[in-house]
Amino acid sequence: MDDSRHRPQEDPVTHEVTNQVPPLTGHDVSADHALLEGLAREGADWATGELRQLGLLAGSAKAQEWGRLANEHPPVLRTHDRYGNRIDEVEFHPAWHELMAVAVESGAHAAPWTSARPGAHVARAAKFFTWSQVEAGHGCPISMTYAAVAALRHSPSLRAEWEPLLASRTYDFGLRPPQDKRGVLAGMAMTEKQGGSDVRANTTRAEPLGDGSFALTGHKWFNSAPMCDVFLVLAQAPGGLSCFLLPRVLPDGTRNAVRLMRLKDKLGNRSNASAEVEYEGAVAFLVGEEGRGVRTIIEMVNMTRLDCVIGSAAGMRYGLAQALHHARHRTAFGRTLAEQPLMRSVLADLALESEAATTLMTRLAGATDRAIRGDAAEGLFRRAALAAAKYWVCKRAPVHAAEALECLGGNGYVEESQMPRLFRESPLNGIWEGSGNVAALDLMRVLAREPEAVEAFFAEVAAAGDRRVADAAERALKTLAGAGEADARRVAEEMTLVLQASLLVRHAPAAVADAFCASRLSGDWGRAFGTLPPGLDLDAILDRAAPA
């Protein structure tokens, strides 16, 4: 019998696939001139080998697949087990655990706190920058674990108990008594429904239990990374708003009375869990002095704010690398996109923004490292510079991501390119740890209350010894002199730009520094990327920025 009618027919050959860009894989993500030079300059060149190993893994197809899977299979909340017992657990795709294990084993979390080696916090920042480019969502618990140690130093007994576990390079997921674990992760819960950034409006109560612990009753509207082992929480104690350490599992193995109500359905950061929680007499321990909770937890916030800058810089680098790679392989009208004059201007502009963010990030990491080790002058500089950078670098990330995505054309708008994931992620660091207005107003408070921080900041700027930078610094000081609250964003913007210019003049090639000063300081720059003034050495800028 002739059954040809029932056999599948071969599709006709309609075309050959050409002029499609190969995936950017098999490269070293850490092979970024601005990053590696900053690592050495800030005293952590001893970590170059470890960083390069991490960078090669970050550029591998295996790691990129972990990132894709973790994002496409978000966490799931399990409030009860099959028998009806309350468990309040969060399940993750195996790819999430791969990302977390690498981050912890590399020391991108709290490992620097137990290291006596100068530059340890810089090395950690470079690793966080590099590995965040695989998938940004998992950086949240890594960042908070790092930052929690700073707050715990207000309570020596809690620090002695928890710091070794937080700094451990062993990823040990699962809710068990902390004494039975080889490593733990920390989260944070500050904001409530009625208050948001105004944490003094919090209503969660902390009642003394008589044995040195407290019982917390209330809620949190955002509990970042609720699967962690321990959290820093703000609550109203008899003596006022205070900071508490709240473990998920108590020493006797019982679950603390923390109820996960639901997970947030977020725009981005989808691989990471964010929860609404309620406390039903949850046991917690006072960190620092009663009634001084904001002052205590701000130590943690100041560290996570640094990671907001690092995360935004990492996103810019990722977007730039993808845009450059695409432009060098895609042809249009007889030339590659990278040879087209207008596209070259766009790419070079993106490269300037990325290098300025990375250079500033490494400088802030260096200041953090030296301040922790007792350098008071670096601490003063950091207080002003970090507040300004948190505002401006995080504000630049979304527009940078949008332009980088557009460089890929329609391909960049397709989920498979991973550029939509970058775009959705890009606003988050500007919201975390105080949105743009909060960061800018924090800068104004520093400038008003700590004139020595202003002096330290502008002394750093003046170190460039450059007339262009000096003129811009003078304009920034004039803005600052008459500024009120409504001017806080302008102050933060001008201060960050002049600091970035100073750093690039001192540490970047002349082509980069000249282009940044000519565009960002002179006013001879449009309102979109790709509007650089004429006469710049774009070849040098683009060659330096290209992914290796």
Side-chain angles (χ1 to χ4, degrees):
M1 178 184 295
D2 182 5
D3 61 353
S4 61
R5 291 176 302 167
H6 304 287
R7 291 198 302 266
Q9 300 296 308
E10 293 184 4
D11 291 334
V13 177
T14 60
H15 65 283
E16 179 183 355
V17 176
T18 62
N19 198 26
Q20 285 290 326
V21 177
L24 176 56
T25 188
H27 64 297
D28 180 356
V29 172
S30 73
D32 172 354
H33 291 291
L35 176 66
L36 294 175
E37 291 166 12
L39 186 75
R41 190 168 56 246
E42 300 298 337
D45 53 343
W46 50 265
T48 301
E50 289 182 23
L51 180 64
R52 300 304 291 266
Q53 284 186 324
L54 184 65
L56 286 169
L57 179 58
S60 69
K62 175 174 66 175
Q64 291 179 13
E65 181 68 358
W66 290 342
R68 184 188 71 81
L69 289 171
N71 177 73
E72 292 190 5
H73 300 275
V76 176
L77 174 61
R78 304 296 185 195
T79 58
H80 295 77
D81 67 13
R82 60 182 292 192
Y83 306 106
N85 300 305
R86 188 94 198 202
I87 56 174
D88 296 289
E89 292 190 352
V90 183
E91 289 183 0
F92 290 86
H93 189 276
W96 165 272
H97 297 298
E98 298 283 5
L99 295 170
M100 290 293 295
V102 171
V104 171
E105 290 164 10
S106 74
H109 64 319
W113 294 104
T114 57
S115 173
R117 196 164 194 176
H121 292 267
V122 180
R124 179 259 164 196
K127 292 173 182 177
F128 187 79
F129 174 93
T130 298
W131 195 239
S132 292
Q133 293 180 55
V134 178
E135 213 301 304
H138 85 288
C140 174
I142 295 299
S143 175
M144 291 189 297
T145 300
Y146 169 63
V149 176
L152 289 180
R153 294 195 163 196
H154 286 272
S155 293
S157 61
L158 291 175
R159 174 189 173 187
E161 178 182 358
W162 289 94
E163 187 176 287
L165 288 169
L166 291 166
S168 168
R169 291 200 180 200
T170 300
Y171 176 60
D172 190 0
F173 182 80
L175 294 179
R176 301 190 302 282
Q179 66 268 20
D180 296 340
K181 301 196 69 175
R182 296 171 295 163
V184 300
L185 298 173
M188 177 169 53
M190 295 175 62
T191 60
E192 299 183 2
K193 295 183 180 75
Q194 73 284 348
S197 296
D198 183 8
V199 295
R200 296 191 184 279
N202 284 6
T203 60
T204 296
R205 306 186 312 277
E207 300 171 357
L209 292 176
D211 61 356
S213 64
F214 288 73
L216 270 57
T217 303
H219 82 281
K220 295 297 172 185
W221 189 229
F222 281 93
N223 185 152
S224 297
M227 64 288 182
C228 289
D229 301 278
V230 65
F231 298 88
L232 290 186
V233 179
L234 289 178
Q236 299 286 357
L241 189 65
S242 304
C243 180
F244 295 90
L245 181 143
L246 186 153
R248 282 294 311 275
V249 180
L250 300 174
D252 64 2
T254 59
R255 299 287 177 94
N256 210 349
V258 179
R259 310 303 183 211
L260 306 188
M261 307 310 291
R262 64 172 177 169
L263 300 185
K264 299 287 192 181
D265 186 7
K266 299 171 294 186
L267 168 69
N269 203 246
R270 298 188 66 82
S271 68
N272 178 46
S274 302
E276 298 167 20
V277 303
E278 293 184 359
Y279 307 129
E280 299 177 359
V283 176
F285 304 89
L286 183 65
V287 181
E289 298 179 42
E290 192 171 334
R292 298 174 70 84
V294 173
R295 180 167 296 223
T296 301
I297 208 168
I298 203 69
E299 298 289 346
M300 183 179 187
V301 172
N302 277 332
M303 292 297 168
T304 48
R305 280 182 174 176
L306 171 62
D307 281 1
C308 288
V309 177
I310 298 172
S312 291
M316 289 187 202
R317 176 59 192 174
Y318 177 85
L320 171 65
Q322 295 294 331
L324 285 168
H325 177 74
H326 181 88
R328 289 191 165 192
H329 288 82
R330 180 80 166 179
T331 60
F333 310 111
R335 290 182 294 181
T336 66
L337 293 178
E339 296 173 303
Q340 310 280 354
L342 189 52
M343 178 61 82
R344 284 163 50 79
S345 182
V346 171
L347 293 170
D349 217 349
L350 292 172
L352 292 175
E353 197 73 36
S354 174
E355 177 148 355
T358 302
T359 303
L360 177 54
M361 174 272 288
T362 56
R363 176 66 183 94
L364 289 171
T368 298
D369 191 88
R370 289 184 283 274
I372 289 169
R373 299 176 196 282
D375 189 326
E378 286 288 86
L380 288 171
F381 162 73
R382 183 185 184 278
R383 282 204 282 280
L386 179 59
K390 165 64 171 73
Y391 168 77
W392 181 243
V393 175
C394 296
K395 271 283 175 281
R396 298 299 291 161
V399 291
H400 192 279
E403 196 69 61
L405 182 154
E406 188 178 326
C407 289
L408 277 64
N411 290 325
Y413 205 69
V414 174
E415 290 291 341
E416 288 176 325
S417 74
Q418 304 303 323
M419 296 300 279
R421 171 156 54 114
L422 171 69
F423 184 64
R424 287 191 296 269
E425 189 74 23
S426 62
L428 184 54
N429 283 307
I431 297 169
W432 265 342
E433 315 315 318
S435 59
N437 284 353
V438 172
L441 291 171
D442 281 352
L443 172 63
M444 298 297 285
R445 280 188 282 272
V446 170
L447 300 180
R449 298 172 185 175
E450 299 185 67
E452 62 273 22
V454 182
E455 294 175 8
F457 180 93
F458 283 99
E460 174 77 17
V461 170
D466 183 275
R467 173 46 54 191
R468 298 165 298 182
V469 175
D471 289 345
E474 185 177 348
R475 292 194 296 271
L477 282 167
K478 287 181 180 178
T479 300
L480 175 59
E485 280 194 10
D487 306 302
R489 287 186 172 220
R490 180 178 296 276
V491 170
E493 175 181 336
E494 291 188 16
M495 287 181 63
T496 307
L497 286 174
V498 75
L499 176 57
Q500 288 179 319
S502 174
L503 292 169
L504 293 178
V505 165
R506 282 178 281 162
H507 306 307
V512 173
D514 290 347
F516 189 89
C517 291
S519 55
R520 273 66 170 175
L521 299 187
S522 71
D524 187 16
W525 187 43
R527 291 180 174 84
F529 286 107
T531 55
L532 293 173
L536 302 176
D537 187 353
L538 301 191
D539 285 338
I541 296 170
L542 294 172
D543 288 345
R544 176 175 170 82

